[in-house]
Amino acid sequence: MKIFDKIKSLFSLRNPQHYNDNPDYAYPGNDIWLKIKPTDKDGQGLVAQTAKEELRVCLRKKENVLLNSTNITKNMRTSWIDLALLYNAKINIVYIDCSLEQALKQNKEREAALPETIIERLSRKLEIPQLSECHKLTIINK
């Protein structure tokens, strides 16, 4: 299983010929590999660009892929989803819902913790995924 990692929402992009509950590849975050801080806006662009190319490679090979990414707005999710749909992938979204207080607590425990102001700003902008964005939507309440 390949995982392209960031923070809160979880997409698994599955090729319909291999549609099952076990993606083939998993990656830790590209920002970790590339040694880019979460607060580095230019660097995060490189992270997204690198992850999209990795995703293209996997989808060309018809591999199952799991994308773990913040994607707090429909617009952010759409760029990943549209790319996957070009390869006829099935889109599953697993949204993990938690309170702002829980997110702040978990952030403090991260190796690369973000400033609280960023978590608070992301929380205000959050658009919860809808079934219309995918083939399957699972919401997990923490």
Side-chain angles (χ1 to χ4, degrees):
M1 142 179 37
K2 289 191 180 182
I3 296 179
F4 303 86
D5 187 17
K6 291 233 188 271
I7 302 175
K8 187 166 180 171
S9 59
L10 179 71
F11 290 82
S12 64
L13 309 169
R14 302 184 200 282
N15 186 282
Q17 291 144 328
H18 299 93
Y19 193 67
N20 59 44
D21 291 329
N22 299 306
D24 295 324
Y25 294 97
Y27 286 122
N30 282 332
D31 41 358
I32 294 169
W33 296 349
L34 300 170
K35 299 190 184 330
I36 293 173
K37 294 181 180 180
T39 53
D40 179 349
K41 288 183 182 180
D42 292 333
Q44 289 302 313
L46 176 61
V47 169
Q49 181 181 3
T50 302
K52 283 186 179 175
E53 186 49 41
E54 291 286 336
L55 178 59
R56 283 184 192 93
V57 169
C58 294
L59 292 171
R60 280 185 207 118
K61 294 178 183 179
K62 303 196 182 309
E63 295 173 335
N64 296 327
V65 180
L66 184 128
L67 169 65
N68 181 8
S69 187
T70 307
N71 292 310
I72 60 168
T73 66
K74 181 178 181 178
N75 188 48
M76 293 172 149
R77 293 186 295 273
T78 298
S79 67
W80 294 102
I81 291 168
D82 287 351
L83 176 59
L85 290 174
L86 288 173
Y87 295 89
N88 297 314
K90 294 274 186 178
I91 311 298
N92 291 343
I93 298 177
V94 178
Y95 170 73
I96 302 171
D97 189 22
C98 72
S99 67
L100 174 58
E101 294 74 25
Q102 180 67 25
L104 290 168
K105 180 181 178 228
Q106 288 176 317
N107 180 58
K108 287 179 184 176
E109 297 167 359
R110 294 179 68 202
E111 185 176 319
L114 295 169
E116 284 191 7
T117 55
I118 292 177
I119 301 294
E120 291 164 350
R121 181 171 43 89
L122 292 173
S123 176
R124 286 190 301 274
K125 291 182 176 183
L126 178 65
E127 296 172 12
I128 296 173
Q130 302 297 310
L131 184 57
S132 61
E133 299 177 57
C134 56
H135 296 96
K136 180 179 177 185
L137 173 63
T138 303
I139 297 178
I140 299 171
N141 293 304
K142 284 192 110 179

